[in-house]
Amino acid sequence: MRTEKKRGGGMFVWIGILAFIVSFGIGVVSKVAVKPAWEKNIRFE
């Protein structure tokens, strides 16, 4: 029975987690920073 872990497997998991966090952050920033074109036509009274 082999008890040693594959070294590349853990690195792949961390790259996936990092990619998720980065894409989530980009999504939040784009939601806050970019205003849609139709928004300027609406007046809130």
Side-chain angles (χ1 to χ4, degrees):
M1 219 165 36
R2 255 164 61 180
T3 57
E4 60 189 48
K5 282 179 74 174
K6 252 198 315 185
R7 191 171 174 92
M11 192 59 136
F12 182 74
V13 171
W14 283 112
I15 289 173
I17 292 171
L18 182 65
F20 175 78
I21 292 172
V22 168
S23 62
F24 184 79
I26 290 173
V28 169
V29 168
S30 70
K31 181 72 174 172
V32 172
V34 177
K35 299 295 181 194
W38 54 265
E39 187 177 357
K40 55 184 138 178
N41 297 333
I42 298 176
R43 288 183 296 175
F44 296 102
E45 296 178 17

